[in-house]
Amino acid sequence: MRKAAADIHRTRPEAVPREASSTSTERGIVHPVVIYPFKQPDDYSDLESLYQLVARLDADRTRYARPITVLDRKTHYAMAQDKLFLAFRGDVVAKHSDILEAWCVDTCQMWCSGLGMAFEQGGPRDVYWLIPGDFNYGTRVGREVLGRLHDLPEIVLELEQDICIGEIATDHNNSKQLIDTYGTFALLYNWFPAEAQEIRRFTERPRSEFFAVRHDFLREILTQRWYPYEQTVVMLLHAVFARKRITRFFVGNISDLPDGRESFASAMQQVERIERVLKSFWRERSLAKPGWVQEYHVLEARSEQIRRTGLTILENLSGEQA
Amino acid sequence: MNSSYHKNLRSVTFVCNATEAQSVSLVGDFNQWNAAAHPMKQMPDRSWLLGVELKHGHHRYAFLVDGGLTLDPRAQGITRNDKGERVSLVPVS
């Protein structure tokens, strides 16, 4: 625990607020935040490919801040005796990034910790780039994604966008796409119908883990309630409410690969999480409205029907016996 | 921007499959959304084609099909222009 605290706080005193030194002509820099996989894969080839990119970013200090890698303390303890992990951590991860260790209830808390730390080191023109670590970067599709990810923060900088969502194109039968079609969007249309339509004008993958976000927008989101999961959906809702500038950019295409299957249990968990977040977020925004309780009960009843229907469809498509 | 930035031009080919259209032009940040700047040429298969040289970076654009702003279904990205209209996005590297 002491080590975790030390790791978290070590960088803060060194963080120089860049706002005071910024000039009107200064171009912002990009802060890469890598989310280290919660479960360490046996094969390091994907992470090796990812950290080759991180090394290049670390070497280009005119455009990029020192990358941050967020590592869950549970991962640390699970791998504390693993020599291969310790070597990779020391020789690769720590060499090319500052490691932020934190106890996190879920991945989105890792996002919050990493983006929060980067934000405290950043300035008003800067952009924060989230890079999920648990992707098959060593594969053909992974290399394609790695080659395009840098576009996300560049788009935010060049086109003065508030958020750029990276989207991986999939076919309609990919399980993530099915979950978004029958779960995410179906529930969004119930709780936030107008905003859901606006989000879908940009993306079919509102739960994407690939995104870049501008300093001011990140400040707004960080100072509001952060959810432990489905935070991308919440950010997109905030963006639509506040009329932020949203861009979607394709970072890869996995429609021709045979993978993309998830268990029904996983689909169920994801849909239930989405519903929980949307319910909480709706209440948060509606508490000041007279009669919100009655409206909530109506929406909740519909939401349950939608969730049940969505899960029935997903169960049928998964081919699993419940 | 320095001079090398300006010299860094790449040829990009745009294709619009508006086979029934009478006129199609390419509009974007690179021509100040001027409908007359980049008229597209109709091909024997009735699609519309145009190659333009663009600077390194990301460019917002759309097709103007018989006067109507139309997204490129093959675009790599989607965003809004300064008027708030949904437009397409092309990266040039």
Side-chain angles (χ1 to χ4, degrees):
Chain A
M1 287 297 288
R2 278 184 189 166
K3 186 177 185 311
D7 277 347
I8 291 168
H9 292 293
R10 182 192 55 196
T11 54
R12 281 188 180 159
E14 299 168 7
V16 179
R18 296 176 57 249
E19 287 157 70
S21 62
S22 296
T23 67
S24 59
T25 56
E26 187 185 346
R27 183 183 163 110
I29 61 167
V30 176
H31 297 255
V33 177
V34 180
I35 306 301
Y36 200 85
F38 176 73
K39 187 174 185 304
Q40 175 65 47
D42 295 333
D43 182 352
Y44 281 73
S45 57
D46 292 328
L47 282 168
E48 283 167 359
S49 295
L50 170 60
Y51 276 90
Q52 285 170 12
L53 169 68
V54 175
R56 289 196 296 275
L57 303 179
D58 188 39
D60 186 357
R61 208 46 61 78
T62 58
R63 293 201 294 170
Y64 297 99
R66 167 87 165 159
I68 293 169
T69 294
V70 187
L71 183 74
D72 194 310
R73 287 293 282 168
K74 294 189 286 298
T75 306
H76 167 86
Y77 277 111
M79 303 302 294
Q81 306 302 320
D82 188 301
K83 288 180 182 171
L84 197 57
F85 169 80
L86 295 173
F88 185 75
R89 176 191 162 130
D91 298 343
V92 179
V93 180
K95 182 179 178 185
H96 302 302
S97 64
D98 286 335
I99 298 177
L100 170 63
E101 292 200 13
W103 287 99
C104 300
V105 294
D106 216 315
T107 309
C108 286
Q109 190 177 349
M110 296 176 74
W111 298 9
C112 187
S113 298
L115 290 170
M117 177 175 163
F119 174 81
E120 290 181 332
Q121 298 173 353
R125 290 175 184 77
D126 291 356
V127 172
Y128 305 86
W129 173 19
L130 193 92
I131 307 172
D134 55 351
F135 194 85
N136 300 333
Y137 293 111
T139 64
R140 180 184 60 79
V141 173
R143 286 192 295 274
E144 183 185 339
V145 170
L146 270 184
R148 290 182 182 170
L149 277 183
H150 65 90
D151 283 292
L152 305 180
E154 288 172 7
I155 286 168
V156 175
L157 278 173
E158 285 175 27
L159 302 180
E160 298 187 339
Q161 299 296 292
D162 293 300
I163 184 166
C164 182
I165 297 287
E167 187 170 289
I168 294 173
T170 59
D171 65 58
H172 292 299
N173 292 319
N174 177 280
S175 61
K176 287 193 188 304
Q177 186 65 61
L178 291 169
I179 292 166
D180 281 338
T181 301
Y182 298 108
T184 313
F185 275 112
L187 290 164
L188 266 171
Y189 285 133
N190 181 60
W191 292 99
F192 299 98
E195 293 76 17
Q197 289 176 65
E198 177 64 6
I199 289 171
R200 207 166 197 178
R201 288 189 183 104
F202 286 94
T203 182
E204 290 292 319
R205 301 295 298 277
R207 299 181 300 136
S208 174
E209 295 175 273
F210 299 101
F211 63 83
V213 58
R214 178 174 289 281
H215 184 87
D216 287 346
F217 186 38
L218 181 60
R219 181 204 302 272
E220 289 175 33
I221 314 168
L222 284 172
T223 53
Q224 300 186 47
R225 178 176 174 182
W226 192 279
Y227 290 84
Y229 31 73
E230 311 308 348
Q231 182 62 34
T232 312
V233 174
V234 177
M235 284 196 295
L236 283 170
L237 284 168
H238 277 303
V240 173
F241 285 132
R243 295 180 178 277
K244 298 293 182 185
R245 295 156 295 187
I246 305 170
T247 292
R248 179 267 287 151
F249 189 78
F250 277 124
V251 292
N253 190 328
I254 56 173
S255 59
D256 55 348
L257 289 181
D259 59 6
R261 297 289 97 198
E262 288 187 71
S263 69
F264 177 59
S266 171
M268 182 185 279
Q269 185 183 45
Q270 291 174 58
V271 173
E272 287 174 349
R273 284 175 164 192
I274 293 159
E275 188 187 31
R276 272 200 297 276
V277 167
L278 292 179
K279 277 183 180 180
S280 303
F281 191 55
W282 188 93
R283 281 200 305 267
E284 198 179 324
R285 291 189 60 86
S286 307
L287 286 176
K289 283 197 298 186
W292 73 267
V293 177
Q294 289 78 7
E295 189 180 354
Y296 177 77
H297 286 320
V298 171
L299 291 173
E300 190 184 34
R302 282 188 206 153
S303 187
E304 185 175 350
Q305 290 178 343
I306 291 165
R307 174 173 45 79
R308 284 175 184 274
T309 305
L311 290 177
T312 301
I313 294 168
L314 292 170
E315 184 182 348
N316 288 342
L317 292 173
S318 76
E320 291 179 34
Q321 296 294 320
Chain B
M1 289 184 284
N2 57 34
S3 58
S4 63
Y5 180 91
H6 287 288
K7 287 174 189 169
N8 195 5
L9 295 173
R10 289 285 172 90
S11 180
V12 181
T13 301
F14 293 89
V15 178
C16 177
N17 277 326
T19 55
E20 303 302 315
Q22 298 301 305
S23 71
V24 179
S25 61
L26 177 70
V27 291
D29 288 333
F30 44 83
N31 64 17
Q32 290 75 50
W33 302 88
N34 178 357
H38 287 107
M40 298 182 78
K41 291 178 183 168
Q42 194 160 33
M43 298 290 105
D45 68 354
R46 302 193 63 76
S47 66
W48 299 76
L49 186 82
L50 184 68
V52 292
E53 295 218 311
L54 296 176
K55 283 185 278 191
H56 169 84
H58 299 84
H59 303 272
R60 295 182 290 188
Y61 73 99
F63 299 127
L64 213 53
V65 178
D66 292 336
L69 202 68
T70 305
L71 290 169
D72 182 355
R74 298 177 199 172
Q76 238 181 297
I78 187 167
T79 185
R80 289 193 186 274
N81 63 14
D82 293 341
K83 290 182 181 173
E85 298 161 317
R86 283 195 314 152
V87 295
S88 301
L89 190 62
V90 60
V92 177
S93 56

